[in-house]
Structures are given as C-alpha cells and as structure tokens.
Amino acid sequence: MIRKLKTIMVVCFVFVNALFLAGVSYSSYQYFFNFTSDEISEAKLTLLNESANKLSGVIQNIREAGTFIAIDRTVVDMFENTGTTPYEALVERNELKNLANNVASLKQEVYSVEIYTDRFQEYSYLYDYNVQPQSNLTEQEWFEPFIENVDNGWVPRHTDELMDREMISYVHRILNQRSETVGYIKVNVLAENFLEYLVDMDLYDEINEPFILLNTGGRIIAETHSREEYPILNDITVSVESEIYERLIPEYDELTDHHQLIKKDNEYYLLLISRPNYEQWRLVQVIPVDGLYAETQELGVHVLVIGLIAILLSIPIVYGIGKWITKPISHMVKAMRKVEKGEFDVQVKSHFVEEYDILGKNFNQMTNELSELLEKLEEENANRREAEMRALQSQIMPHFLYNTLDMIKWKSLDHDAEDVGEMVNKLSKMLRIGLSGGLKFIRLRDELDHAKCYIDIQKQRQPQAIDYKVRVPAYMKDYYVPKIILQPFIENSIKHGYHNAGSKRMEITVLGEMCGKNDCIKLTVKDNGTGLPDNWSFSNVKGIGIQNVRERIAMYCGEQFDVDIYNHEKGGVVVEIRVPIYEAQPATQPQTNESGE
C-alpha cells in the first residue's frame, strides 16, 4: 500500500499527466486523422476525377472505331446491295477485313475488330476471324439481354470464344438505309488491359487498389481486381435483374464526386466515386485505409511515445519536487517519533512556507509544554512517593517498635539481662536494615536477615515454638528487591494463623526461585496455621502491612508484579511475591536520605 506523501504525489502526477496525455493524444490524433483523412480523400478524389476525364479519351477512341466502320460509306453502300456474286462477296469480305484491321491498327486501345453479318451466309467459306456469321454473336449468353436494352453499347467482361480471352467490347449495329439491322461491329479490348491505361497516362505507378468503371447508365463495365481478392466489392455492388450488368448498390448508385469510409470485417476502406467525365462515365476506387493512413498512424504512435518519454522523464523531477515539498513533514514525523520515545526536548526548524511554519511552531510549543508537564509530573510523583513512604514507615516502624520496647520492659522486670541484650541487638539490626540509608531496594540477603531478626524477636514473645526455614539459592541473594516485603507477611502468619492453635508448633518457610521464563523472582512464605477464611480477598484486609507491600511493588516495579495469597491444600497459607530481577541497584529510584528520620 502506498502511504508516503511524496510517492502519492508522484503517482497522482503521473496518473493525471497520463490521462491528460491520453486525452490530448486521442483528440489530436482524431483531429489530425480526420483532417488528414479529408485531405487525402480530397486529393485521391481529385486524382480519380482526372483519371476519369483522361479515360474518356480511351472510351471515345474505342467507340469511334465501331462508329467509324458502321457509318463508312463503303460499308453502307455494300449492305445496301442485296444481290452478290461469289466474286463480289469475296471482294466485299476483303474490304471489310481490311477496314477492320486498319481501324484496329490505328487505335492502340483496340485489340481486335469483329464484324458479324449474314450477308455472306451463302458463301460460308468466305468467313474468317474478322468477318463471322451473325449467329456466332447472337448465340452468346450475354447478347440477348444486352440487345434488348441498347442499340449500341458496351459489353462487360466476357470470354471471347474464338480467341479464348477475357474481353470488354463495344458493340455497334450496322444499319442499312432502311434502318434495318444487317450486322454488328464488335470492338474488343483486353479486359486485363482496359484500365491499365491509367498507368500509361502517368496517373499511377501501378494499379494496387480496385477500380470500377461505370458507364452512362451506371452499369459496371470494367474492374481491375477479382472479388476473391477484395470481397468488399461484393458489398457495394448488386446484379441487375434480367441484365448482364452489375451496378453499385442504391446507396452509392447516384453519388458523384463523393468519398466516404466503409467497413467490412473490422477493416476500413476509402470509397471514392468520381464525377461524370466527358462521356458521362464514372470511375470508382476502393482503397484499404491501413496502407493509406499508415504514416498518419505512425505519427500518432510517435506522439504517444514522445508523451510517454516525457512522463518518464518527469517522474524524477516530480519526485525531487515532492521530496523538497514534503521534507519539513518528514522532519516533523521523525521528531514525533522521538517524542513517542520520550524525548520531549525535540525542536523543529522554522520554514518559509507559512503552513509548515505554523505546524512547526505548534509542534515546538507542544513539546515544550509536554516537557514541562513531564517534569512537574515526575516531581509530583517523587514527592508523592516520598510522602507515602514516610507515612507508611511512620505507621509500620513505631507500631513494631512500641511492642518490642514494651516486651523489653517486662523482660527487664524479670531481670533476664541476657535476653534483653539479644532482643535489643535484633531490634537495632532490624531498624538499620529497614532504614538502609533511604534506599528503596536492598539485597535479598539483607531482606532475609531483616525477616530472621523479626523471627528471633518473636521467638522470645510467643508461647509456641517457631520453626523458621529459609530455602533460597545463594546466587539469588545478591539480587536487589524492594525492602521490607517479607516481614509483614511473616507477622500476619504469627498474628492471625495461630491465635486459636493452642500449643501448636509454628512452621514458617521462606522459598526463593525463578519464575516464568527466568524473567522474575518468586519469593514464597508458607505457614501451617489456620489458613484464610472462605471467600477471602484483598478487599477484606484491614491492616496496612499487606497493602503497603503491594503498593510499593506496583510503584517501584510495575503493575505486572504483585502478591498472591491463597490457602495451601495441606493447610496453612501460601504467599507468593513476584518482583523483577535487578542485579544492581535500580538507577531510576529517587535517592533520598532517610537516616535522619
């Protein structure tokens, strides 16, 4: 997850720039593409119009070849005469043949000229390639639908059976003076070469896209490419019923000087339809868009690549700016982490940016106030701890001291001076350990000596015998523990555990061991007394000794350390005291001198 401010700034900048670049690139590309498309389309259409105009000369030459023969005076007079001898027929046939060959040789567009007539049907041997019987023409599949619609016209691509070649032909009737049809003139042009004249006219280097030639009636006369190669041609053309022709679909049939994009199978094509030329013919061109706009698309890719490079180059710049902008925040975050660790003397520098300067001043004011409050709190806690300690010690020590002195008085009356001296010595040692120069922690061995002195004194006071045992490993006796934590519980055992026991012998044992994962010390005080009453809890405690120990342990060692008291299954009470391990005098406790109290 992205969490750093400068990283978020960089990501946002790159994201916004990417969206902006995508929008600009797309809009620019669309605008440029549309503009370029219109310009290219207009240029291509202009070239197509010029091609159509120049192609009209080819069309006119081919048509003139048929017309020239049909209106030739010799031909008209020849077909006017009805009767002929074989010789005359031979002469006429030669004249027609020569005329056809001469016309074909004069017109470079013309491949051949054929004359179909029944004038020489009685002399069949006279027929040859140029002059053929009329039945050879009328029996063609295309002839009947063709002749029903036109007198003179163009025959679209068809196979010439005599030459076995694909031809496009112009057919012209031969009429006598009575307007009777006496024959037909068929001017042939190779289908594969018909539109190749566009190259010869220097309009195109080569014909790569399909061209369609429409005559005056909109019928398709010639095409440059097969439908298998360009299936799109099937989508824009339609067959005419009862005719041999095809034409453009109604949507495009009447259009002139027009261009538009059409689509087939997810591919786009540019459809161009020229204006009518001098012969009122139109030229149609279909151009695949991929090749036409390849340079435009390449330019769009270049624009996109340049934009991406610009974004990539801007990333380190934005990162540097973001780092510079967020640097004060980074310093403030580091300062806050130090404050979390308890370093309240941290200060941040002022900044020329107003918002950062305000934040810095408020942060410095906060740390100053925290530092002052912490000092006051520590001072108040120290005073409170000292006051509590003094109050507790003033409650504990005089109480015990008065009882001991009272006992010494009665011993004095019995003139037992030796016992009096021993008790006074034990009392003195207890007072010395209890005060311990104002220290809050003493070695465990001193704490055990303190408890032993108390036991020795109680042995003189109590009627029952006291069996006191200590089972603490030697290495643990050098650890430091809060002082006077054993004596209150031993006192409770003697005072409350045997008050109804008669002459029962008192057994008190102190055990020491490591607890948990060797991270604390557990001191256990056991007795064989009467035990705790049912439903006993710390809230039932009326004396100050136990509460005093618990409060001091919590105050000096932490809330996780405490005292547990419960009945032993074999009788008596078990007290478990848990304190941390201190191998040296804790440095955090206040060092006050209690020796003068």
Side-chain angles (χ1 to χ4, degrees):
M1 181 181 293
I2 300 174
R3 296 182 62 185
K4 291 189 176 181
L5 179 59
K6 56 179 173 288
T7 306
I8 294 175
M9 291 177 63
V10 172
V11 172
C12 291
F13 175 83
V14 172
F15 180 73
V16 171
N17 270 13
L19 288 180
F20 177 76
L21 174 65
V24 171
S25 299
Y26 179 78
S27 301
S28 302
Y29 177 75
Q30 287 297 321
Y31 174 79
F32 185 76
F33 179 83
N34 293 334
F35 175 78
T36 306
S37 176
D38 290 339
E39 292 295 318
I40 293 176
S41 300
E42 291 293 338
K44 289 288 185 180
L45 186 58
T46 300
L47 180 60
L48 188 66
N49 288 330
E50 184 180 352
S51 302
N53 289 333
K54 289 192 175 183
L55 197 60
S56 64
V58 177
I59 298 169
Q60 185 177 2
N61 285 340
I62 297 170
R63 189 177 64 246
E64 285 178 351
T67 305
F68 179 79
I69 296 174
I71 65 174
D72 184 86
R73 187 64 185 177
T74 302
V75 175
V76 174
D77 293 342
M78 182 185 302
F79 282 96
E80 185 65 26
N81 298 323
T82 55
T84 59
T85 64
Y87 175 77
E88 292 174 339
L90 178 62
V91 173
E92 290 178 0
R93 193 268 305 170
N94 286 334
E95 289 180 357
L96 291 175
K97 177 180 178 181
N98 292 333
L99 180 61
N101 289 334
N102 289 336
V103 171
S105 63
L106 290 175
K107 304 291 185 178
Q108 63 175 357
E109 299 88 353
V110 176
Y111 179 77
S112 66
V113 176
E114 301 170 1
I115 299 175
Y116 295 88
T117 181
D118 290 335
R119 183 175 178 78
F120 310 113
Q121 59 183 348
E122 296 179 0
Y123 316 104
S124 58
Y125 65 91
L126 296 178
Y127 293 105
D128 58 13
Y129 170 77
N130 296 97
V131 181
Q132 300 181 45
Q134 189 170 320
S135 60
N136 288 356
L137 182 66
T138 58
E139 291 176 358
Q140 296 291 325
E141 293 181 0
W142 52 265
F143 181 79
E144 184 175 352
F146 165 77
I147 205 65
E148 289 178 355
N149 293 280
V150 295
D151 290 334
N152 306 307
W154 290 82
V155 180
R157 190 185 191 101
H158 64 281
T159 301
D160 189 296
E161 294 181 355
L162 183 62
M163 292 179 286
D164 194 23
R165 298 290 296 273
E166 293 289 321
M167 298 291 183
I168 294 174
S169 304
Y170 173 74
V171 177
H172 196 289
R173 292 176 184 265
I174 302 175
L175 302 175
N176 59 18
Q177 292 182 356
R178 293 182 296 278
S179 298
E180 297 173 343
T181 301
V182 294
Y184 296 92
I185 300 171
K186 183 169 178 281
V187 183
N188 297 317
V189 181
L190 287 176
E192 60 192 41
N193 294 336
F194 194 90
L195 292 177
E196 290 294 328
Y197 291 108
L198 296 174
V199 177
D200 296 338
M201 298 172 186
D202 297 329
L203 295 175
Y204 303 92
D205 294 331
E206 56 182 336
I207 303 298
N208 294 321
E209 301 89 16
F211 284 83
I212 299 175
L213 185 62
L214 307 177
N215 67 2
T216 305
R219 300 176 179 88
I220 296 176
I221 301 301
E223 299 179 38
T224 57
H225 290 72
S226 67
R227 301 294 176 88
E228 291 78 10
E229 186 177 359
Y230 284 92
I232 185 66
L233 298 177
N234 292 319
D235 293 349
I236 64 173
T237 60
V238 62
S239 298
V240 179
E241 186 177 356
S242 72
E243 290 189 13
I244 62 172
Y245 300 100
E246 286 185 321
R247 62 192 309 140
L248 296 181
I249 60 176
E251 181 181 352
Y252 308 130
D253 192 30
E254 301 296 329
L255 297 177
T256 61
D257 199 21
H258 174 76
H259 65 81
Q260 76 174 75
L261 287 176
I262 58 177
K263 182 180 180 182
K264 179 178 177 60
D265 299 333
N266 295 324
E267 294 186 12
Y268 286 91
Y269 298 86
L270 177 62
L271 174 65
L272 302 172
I273 304 176
S274 74
R275 68 170 67 95
N277 60 14
Y278 304 118
E279 303 296 326
Q280 298 302 306
W281 288 41
R282 289 175 295 164
L283 196 58
V284 178
Q285 185 178 9
V286 179
I287 306 175
V289 169
D290 289 342
L292 187 63
Y293 301 120
E295 294 182 358
T296 304
Q297 294 173 348
E298 183 178 355
L299 179 61
V301 173
H302 288 166
V303 171
L304 183 61
V305 170
I306 293 173
L308 291 175
I309 293 174
I311 289 179
L312 292 177
L313 292 178
S314 67
I315 290 177
I317 298 175
V318 175
Y319 185 84
I321 295 175
K323 186 176 181 180
W324 175 74
I325 292 175
T326 59
K327 189 175 181 180
I329 297 179
S330 300
H331 289 167
M332 196 169 297
V333 170
K334 291 179 180 178
M336 288 180 178
R337 288 174 180 170
K338 291 182 179 180
V339 171
E340 290 176 356
K341 296 178 181 179
E343 301 179 21
F344 298 107
D345 57 345
V346 179
Q347 298 286 300
V348 296
K349 298 179 180 179
S350 60
H351 201 273
F352 71 92
V353 177
E354 182 179 359
E355 288 78 1
Y356 289 152
D357 190 52
I358 293 173
L359 286 175
K361 289 180 179 179
N362 291 338
F363 179 82
N364 292 337
Q365 182 179 355
M366 178 193 69
T367 55
N368 290 333
E369 292 178 355
L370 286 175
S371 182
E372 293 176 0
L373 289 174
L374 185 62
E375 290 178 0
K376 291 180 180 179
L377 183 61
E378 289 179 351
E379 183 179 355
E380 290 176 358
N381 285 339
N383 294 336
R384 183 173 61 86
R385 286 196 296 268
E386 287 298 321
E388 289 175 352
M389 279 298 301
R390 289 171 182 168
L392 291 172
Q393 289 180 353
S394 66
Q395 291 174 336
I396 295 173
M397 298 306 295
H399 174 73
F400 177 70
L401 181 60
Y402 293 153
N403 289 338
T404 304
L405 291 176
D406 183 68
M407 185 180 59
I408 292 174
K409 181 184 74 171
W410 290 106
K411 286 290 182 180
S412 305
L413 295 176
D414 294 337
H415 304 287
D416 191 359
E418 183 177 351
D419 293 340
V420 172
E422 183 180 354
M423 293 179 66
V424 170
N425 183 51
K426 296 294 184 180
L427 177 61
S428 175
K429 188 173 182 179
M430 283 187 65
L431 292 175
R432 185 167 59 253
I433 294 173
L435 295 175
S436 62
L439 296 175
K440 306 299 184 296
F441 286 79
I442 60 176
R443 292 184 185 275
L444 180 56
R445 67 176 68 255
D446 294 330
E447 178 66 19
L448 293 173
D449 287 343
H450 183 272
K452 180 65 168 59
C453 290
Y454 177 79
I455 288 292
D456 290 341
I457 293 174
Q458 291 299 332
K459 284 181 179 181
Q460 301 294 327
R461 293 187 58 208
Q462 298 299 329
Q464 299 101 326
I466 299 176
D467 185 5
Y468 178 70
K469 298 177 182 179
V470 176
R471 300 291 184 267
V472 178
Y475 70 90
M476 290 179 56
K477 294 181 179 181
D478 289 328
Y479 293 154
Y480 285 83
V481 297
K483 63 184 180 182
I484 314 178
I485 59 174
L486 294 177
Q487 182 268 333
F489 297 105
I490 295 174
E491 180 181 357
N492 280 339
S493 294
I494 295 173
K495 182 177 180 181
H496 302 291
Y498 302 94
H499 57 281
N500 294 324
S503 60
K504 184 177 180 181
R505 183 182 182 86
M506 299 182 185
E507 294 181 1
I508 299 175
T509 304
V510 177
L511 303 175
E513 60 182 335
M514 305 299 289
C515 62
K517 298 180 179 179
N518 294 333
D519 55 355
C520 67
I521 299 172
K522 182 169 71 174
L523 299 175
T524 305
V525 179
K526 296 182 179 180
D527 63 39
N528 64 338
T530 58
L532 299 170
D534 294 338
N535 299 324
W536 180 90
S537 65
F538 283 111
S539 60
N540 302 129
V541 177
K542 297 180 180 179
I544 62 173
I546 294 177
Q547 294 296 344
N548 171 259
V549 174
R550 294 188 67 204
E551 289 176 2
R552 286 189 293 118
I553 290 176
M555 186 183 301
Y556 298 150
C557 303
E559 298 291 339
Q560 68 271 32
F561 300 99
D562 200 357
V563 177
D564 290 331
I565 302 177
Y566 56 90
N567 286 324
H568 194 273
E569 59 183 5
K570 294 182 180 181
V573 177
V574 178
V575 179
E576 292 182 354
I577 305 170
R578 295 186 306 279
V579 293
I581 299 173
Y582 292 117
E583 295 182 357
Q585 185 70 240
T588 57
Q589 63 176 356
Q591 301 293 326
T592 57
N593 189 356
E594 298 180 0
S595 59
E597 296 180 358

